[in-house]
Amino acid sequence: MVSNAAADKADMQRDMKASRTASRGDKSGAAAARAVDVEALHRRFMAREATIGVIGLGYVGLPLVGAILDSGFAVLGFDIDAEKVAQLNAGRSYIRHIPANAVAGWRRAGRFNAVADFARLGEVDAILICVPTPLTRHREPDLAYVVGTTEAIAPQLRPGQLVVLESTTYPGTTREVMQPILERGGLKSGIDFFLAYSPEREDPGNTQFSTTKIPKVVGGDGPDALRLVTALYDQFVSGTIPVSSPETAEAVKLTENIFRAVNIALVNELKMVYAAMGIDVWEVIKAASTKPFGFMPFYPGPGLGGHCIPIDPFYLTWKAREYDISTRFIELAGEVNTRMPHYVVERLAGALNERFGKGVKGTRILLLGIAYKKNVDDIRESPAFRLMELIEARGATVAYHDPYVPEIPLSREHKEFAGRRSVALTPAALRDCDAALICTDHDEVDYRLVAECCPLLVDTRNACAHAGIAAASIVKA
Ligand SMILES: NC(=O)c1ccc[n+]([C@@H]2O[C@H](COP(=O)([O-])OP(=O)(O)OC[C@H]3O[C@@H](n4cnc5c(N)ncnc54)[C@H](O)[C@@H]3O)[C@@H](O)[C@H]2O)c1
C-alpha cells in the first residue's frame, strides 16, 4: 500500500520530472528564449560543485554553513555584523555549541569565507536566507530583516541564481513580499532566477538531531525552483519533502511551532490544576506516556522562551486577520504560557510564607539557569528575565547562576539586567540565599549540592526528580 505522503511525493516528483523534460526538450517558445540553463545549475548542485551563499550567520545560519561545507560545496557566508564576520574568518565560533575547532576546520579546508560585502552575492549559485523574524513592540510580524536582506540581494541578483528563504514567517512572505522586490530589476522568478522557501528546523543543542539529520520541507515558485531547491538540499540533509508551494512550506513551519505552543500551554494549565489537587503533573505525564498510541508528552515549565515558540504563532494570528479569522487557540495558549512566571512566583511566595513565615520582600533568591532552554547559551525571550522582574518587584534581591551565560549582555528588552554576572555555585553562596529557583535545567549544575545547601528549592523543570534527588526543601512549580 502506498501511503498518502509517499503518493504526494510521487506526484511532486512527476511534476519536477515534467519540468526537467520541458527544460531539455521544448526548444520553442518561452523555453527556447530562456537564457538560463536550469539543467546546468541542477548538475552543479548534484555534483556539489556550486558555491552556496548563506545570509545571516546566527544560531540557524552557522550550523547550516557547516552542513553544506561537510557535503563538499564551497560557502560564502554573509552577515551585517562585522564582528561575527571577523571572528569566523579568524576560525573562532561565537555560539557555544558550535566548537571553535569546527570553524577553524572550515577555514583550513579553504572552502569557507565570511563577508559583510553584499556585492559578492554575484559569486554564488544559491542564496539561503536565515535572518531574524521577530515581533514588533505591538506583537506584529517584523519583516524588517527579511525585507532589508531582499533589498540588498535585488541589485546583485543575476540570472540563474536560486534564492531560498529559511526564516520562519507567515504564508505569503516569499511570493508577496520578497518576489516583487527581487523582480524590480527586470528579472522574473521561475524564468531568470528561482525562488523557494524551506523552513529551518534547527534545534540548538540537540545532539541527536543536528542539521544534516533533520529532513527539510521545500516549496518552490514553479517546478524549476522546486526541482533545484530539492536537488540542492538533498546533498546535505537526510531527506527533502517537496510541497506544492512556498505558502504550504511556510504554513508547515508555523504549524509545527503552533503545535508545540498550544500543547505546552495545555500541560502548563494541567500543572496548575493538578498542583491544586495535590497531584504531580510530571508523574501524570510519565505514566500517560506509556500509552503506545494517541499521546505525545509535552512538559510544563516557567513560561515559553527562545526565538521561535513564543513568537512564530503570532505570525499566523496576524495574517489570519486579513481573512477575518481569529486564531483563538493560539491566543489562549499565549495567555496561559505568559501567565506561567506569575504562577511560579506565587508558588515561591507561598513556600516562603508556609515554611519560614516570610514574605518575598527582603529575601535573597538565586535563579538557576537563565538561558531559555537547557545546555545552550541563547537567552532570547527567556522567562528568566520576567521571573527576575517579578521577584524584584516584590522587594527581593535576585542573583543568578548559569554556566552558559557568564554575564547578561545588553538587550533592548532587559537593559536593567545587563552586566550582571553569574555567581559561583559554592555551598556558602547557596546557604546565603533564602531560596533557589530552577528556571532552566542545565545538565552541568550540581542539583544535589543545591538541594543540600539551600533552605528552599523551587523546581520548575522537575530537574531534581530527574537527577534522583528527593528532599524536603524541594517544591515543584
Ligand atoms: N534559533 C532557532 O532555534 C531557530 C530554529 C528554527 C528556525 N529559526 C528561525 O531562523 C531565523 C533565524 O534565527 P536565528 O536564531 O538564527 O537568528 P540569529 O539572530 O541567531 O541570527 C541571525 C543573523 O542574521 C544577521 N543579520 C540580520 N540582518 C541581516 C541582514 N540584513 N543581512 C545579513 N545578515 C543579517 C545577524 O547579524 C545574525 O548573525 C528566524 O526566522 C528564526 O525564527 C530559528
Side-chain angles (χ1 to χ4, degrees), residues 182-238:
L182 294 173
E183 290 184 341
R184 270 182 207 155
L187 298 180
K188 286 274 165 264
S189 169
I191 297 172
D192 305 303
F193 70 96
F194 305 96
L195 184 59
Y197 181 80
S198 180
E200 188 46 64
R201 285 167 151 175
E202 191 66 22
D203 185 14
N206 186 330
T207 47
Q208 202 187 347
F209 292 106
S210 55
T211 309
T212 53
K213 294 195 183 117
I214 306 170
K216 289 276 277 173
V217 172
V218 288
D221 178 37
D224 284 338
L226 182 61
R227 189 164 156 254
L228 288 169
V229 70
T230 306
L232 174 60
Y233 281 102
D234 271 339
Q235 307 312 311
F236 55 85
V237 296
S238 65

Side-chain angles (χ1 to χ4, degrees), residues 251-271:
V252 169
K253 175 68 191 184
L254 289 188
T255 302
E256 291 169 2
N257 284 356
I258 289 166
F259 176 75
R260 282 189 64 72
V262 169
N263 280 289
I264 292 168
L266 178 63
V267 289
N268 275 332
E269 186 169 273
L270 294 178
K271 168 179 79 171

Side-chain angles (χ1 to χ4, degrees), residues 5 78 119 121 143 146 152 163 202 268 291 321 361 365 368 382 423 427:
F78 296 82
L121 277 170
L143 285 190
V146 171
V163 180
E202 191 66 22
N268 275 332
K291 185 178 176 184
R321 280 189 222 131
K361 191 168 183 172
I365 310 298
L368 294 175
S382 173
V423 300

Side-chain angles (χ1 to χ4, degrees), residues 41 45 125-128 160-164 194-196 225 228-229 232:
L41 185 57
F45 288 158
D125 299 284
I127 301 168
L128 315 184
Q161 284 182 314
L162 171 68
V163 180
V164 187
F194 305 96
L195 184 59
L228 288 169
V229 70
L232 174 60

Side-chain angles (χ1 to χ4, degrees), residues 68-318:
I68 303 171
L69 283 167
D70 287 347
S71 68
F73 289 99
V75 176
L76 201 50
F78 296 82
D79 204 292
I80 46 168
D81 186 336
E83 173 59 28
K84 285 185 179 167
V85 167
Q87 292 228 39
L88 292 173
N89 286 335
R92 289 194 292 268
S93 169
Y94 39 75
I95 294 179
R96 180 146 167 184
H97 59 271
I98 299 175
N101 61 9
V103 180
W106 303 346
R107 292 289 292 152
R108 266 198 309 278
R111 285 181 284 111
F112 172 65
N113 252 306
V115 293
D117 176 11
F118 280 65
R120 294 192 59 188
L121 277 170
E123 296 172 31
V124 306
D125 299 284
I127 301 168
L128 315 184
I129 304 165
C130 312
V131 296
T133 43
L135 294 173
T136 64
R137 281 179 190 282
H138 300 106
R139 298 197 72 72
E140 292 186 342
D142 179 359
L143 285 190
Y145 298 93
V146 171
V147 169
T149 302
T150 314
E151 283 176 339
I153 297 170
Q156 313 297 335
L157 191 66
R158 61 165 175 78
Q161 284 182 314
L162 171 68
V163 180
V164 187
L165 179 64
E166 294 229 358
S167 305
T168 307
T169 186
Y170 59 77
T173 307
T174 307
R175 290 207 275 204
E176 290 168 14
V177 178
M178 290 179 67
Q179 187 174 339
I181 299 172
L182 294 173
E183 290 184 341
R184 270 182 207 155
L187 298 180
K188 286 274 165 264
S189 169
I191 297 172
D192 305 303
F193 70 96
F194 305 96
L195 184 59
Y197 181 80
S198 180
E200 188 46 64
R201 285 167 151 175
E202 191 66 22
D203 185 14
N206 186 330
T207 47
Q208 202 187 347
F209 292 106
S210 55
T211 309
T212 53
K213 294 195 183 117
I214 306 170
K216 289 276 277 173
V217 172
V218 288
D221 178 37
D224 284 338
L226 182 61
R227 189 164 156 254
L228 288 169
V229 70
T230 306
L232 174 60
Y233 281 102
D234 271 339
Q235 307 312 311
F236 55 85
V237 296
S238 65
T240 46
I241 301 97
V243 294
S244 59
S245 66
E247 292 75 29
T248 304
E250 289 160 337
V252 169
K253 175 68 191 184
L254 289 188
T255 302
E256 291 169 2
N257 284 356
I258 289 166
F259 176 75
R260 282 189 64 72
V262 169
N263 280 289
I264 292 168
L266 178 63
V267 289
N268 275 332
E269 186 169 273
L270 294 178
K271 168 179 79 171
M272 294 187 286
V273 176
Y274 292 152
M277 296 174 175
I279 297 166
D280 180 350
V281 72
W282 293 91
E283 190 184 354
V284 172
I285 295 169
K286 190 174 172 196
S289 302
T290 59
K291 185 178 176 184
F293 51 86
F295 184 83
M296 181 185 284
F298 283 84
Y299 300 102
L304 293 182
H307 187 34
C308 298
I309 312 294
I311 290 174
D312 302 346
F314 297 98
Y315 269 66
L316 189 68
T317 295
W318 179 84

